[in-house]
Each structure stands twice: as structure tokens, then as C-alpha cells.
Amino acid sequence: GQSLEQPSEVTAVEGAIVQINCTYQTSGFYGLSWYQQHDGGAPTFLSYNALDGLEETGRFSSFLSRSDSYGYLLLQELQMKDSASYFCAVRDRGGQNFVFGPGTRLSVLP
Amino acid sequence: EADIYQTPRYLVIGTGKKITLECSQTMGHDKMYWYQQDPGMELHLIHYSYGVNSTEKGDLSSESTVSRIRTEHFPLTLESARPSHTSQYLCASSERLGNTIYFGEGSWLTVV
């Protein structure tokens, strides 16, 4: 089956850079996604990596190393509004459904 | 902007009542999902559908049922609600080969 691991909590200050790691074990791999979820809200898509390397979208970047079964989400120039939970996700064995990690709660302090 | 809608957003019901959570999407997506999530916790897949007349149970055992009679509609029903069903229920959809899953705003259910 699939399993994903993420740190449960990360704390940083405004303006800082933070990296949220995700390691995964899958019987098939179709790419790693990242989602952001604010308290009381729904998860929203941030990024997707199918190939090794870094993908940049504004202040957020996502990295993937398929050989290491590892990826991370990099958030730069942190803002208070970035305080949220961040989930990594992969497709399951058949590539049909999305399996989510346990989530990392990011707290941005002033 | 994703076009997926859930109703009701918030609901408090008594034990033993029947409840249906509605979910509709206007994107024409073949795949639809129901996730259950307690505050600050993981998302657990409870049901999914690949298209009309296709429904499957997810990884988390659930006493709910779903139907998919139309592409855009994927309601979830609890025949007899219990306090253990208190949670947030998130509906989602994706394209058949898409890499992005779009979530609705969620339905917060409290069973007293």
C-alpha cells in the first residue's frame, strides 16, 4: 500500500524560509502533490511534481527526488496568512485515488 | 476557481436521524470522492466514484452510502446518525487522468 510521513508541526517567523518534508512508500508512483488547508477550510492545490527537481510558483517551491522517495515544500518570505496545514499526497497503486499524508501544521509567528 | 459545492455547510442532528450530504460539481469531472476529516487530523477516503453508476468504498470503513446517478452529483447518506459520525465531510472531484483534486468547502456534521 501507500504511506506518507510528514512532520506534525513546524514553527517559523514572518519573513523566514521553511521547508516541509514528505517521505513516501508506494507500490507505484505517479507524482507528488501538495495541498494547503486553513483552519475550518478545504484543502487547496499548491503544486505537483512528476519528475525530479524543483518546481517554483511564486513564494512556494516543491521538490521531488524519486530515487529517495522524498519531496519537500519550500515556503519563502513567510507571511502570517501562510499559517495552515500542508498535506503531501500521492496516487494509490492503481493511480486512481489520492492518498494524503498526515499533514504538517505550520505556525507563522510575528 | 473550482466549482464544487456542498450542502449543508453545518448541521446538528439527533442520534438515529437519517441525513444526506449533497455534493455537486460543474466541471464535468468523472471522478468524485468523499473524505472524512476530524479537526487538525488526516483526510480519510470513505467513498469514491469513477463515473455514473460507479461507486466504491475507500480505505476508512464508513457506515455511509453514496450514489452516482448523474456525473455532477455525488450525495452521501447516513441512514442512522451516531455521535461517532461527528466530523467534517469533504467532497472532491478530479479529471479522469488529472493530477489535481478539487475540494468543496466541506460539511460539518455534529450528531448529538
Side-chain angles (χ1 to χ4, degrees), chain A residues 30 33 35 37 40-45 48 85 87 91-92 95-103 105, chain B residues 9 31 33 35 37 41-43 45 48 50 59 88 90 94 97-101 103-106 108:
Chain A
Y30 301 88
S33 303
Y35 289 79
Q37 185 181 28
T44 55
F45 173 79
Y48 171 75
S85 292
F87 295 88
R91 288 183 179 271
D92 66 5
Q96 297 294 336
N97 294 321
F98 296 84
V99 178
F100 287 82
R105 184 171 184 85
Chain B
R9 290 292 316 281
K31 295 185 181 179
Y33 317 81
Y35 288 87
Q37 184 186 34
M41 304 298 285
E42 300 178 54
L43 292 107
L45 180 67
Y48 58 96
Y50 295 152
D59 300 326
Q88 179 182 208
L90 289 159
S94 69
L97 299 177
N99 298 313
T100 304
I101 184 169
F103 287 87
E105 291 295 317
W108 289 90

Side-chain angles (χ1 to χ4, degrees), chain A residues 29-50:
Chain A
F29 183 73
Y30 301 88
L32 183 70
S33 303
W34 288 93
Y35 289 79
Q36 178 191 59
Q37 185 181 28
H38 288 100
D39 287 346
T44 55
F45 173 79
L46 289 177
S47 67
Y48 171 75
N49 294 66

Side-chain angles (χ1 to χ4, degrees), chain A residues 9-67:
Chain A
E9 293 182 23
V10 174
T11 301
V13 297
E14 271 189 298
I17 299 172
V18 71
Q19 178 174 311
I20 299 174
N21 299 321
C22 174
T23 57
Y24 58 87
Q25 290 185 333
T26 61
S27 52
F29 183 73
Y30 301 88
L32 183 70
S33 303
W34 288 93
Y35 289 79
Q36 178 191 59
Q37 185 181 28
H38 288 100
D39 287 346
T44 55
F45 173 79
L46 289 177
S47 67
Y48 171 75
N49 294 66
L51 302 175
D52 290 354
L54 190 68
E55 297 277 345
E56 298 181 61
T57 306
R59 295 187 298 113
F60 293 3
S61 303
S62 57
F63 172 83
L64 175 66
S65 169
R66 289 176 296 171
S67 60

Side-chain angles (χ1 to χ4, degrees), chain B residues 10-14 81-83 85-87 89 107-112:
Chain B
Y10 304 93
L11 181 66
V12 180
I13 62 172
R82 297 190 295 167
H85 295 138
T86 295
S87 189
Y89 293 84
S107 293
W108 289 90
L109 176 65
T110 301
V111 184
V112 297

Side-chain angles (χ1 to χ4, degrees), chain B residues 31-62:
Chain B
K31 295 185 181 179
M32 295 191 74
Y33 317 81
W34 277 102
Y35 288 87
Q36 183 176 346
Q37 184 186 34
D38 292 327
M41 304 298 285
E42 300 178 54
L43 292 107
H44 294 286
L45 180 67
I46 52 175
H47 294 283
Y48 58 96
S49 167
Y50 295 152
V52 172
N53 294 325
S54 155
T55 61
E56 302 287 343
K57 287 187 179 292
D59 300 326
L60 182 67
S61 175
S62 173

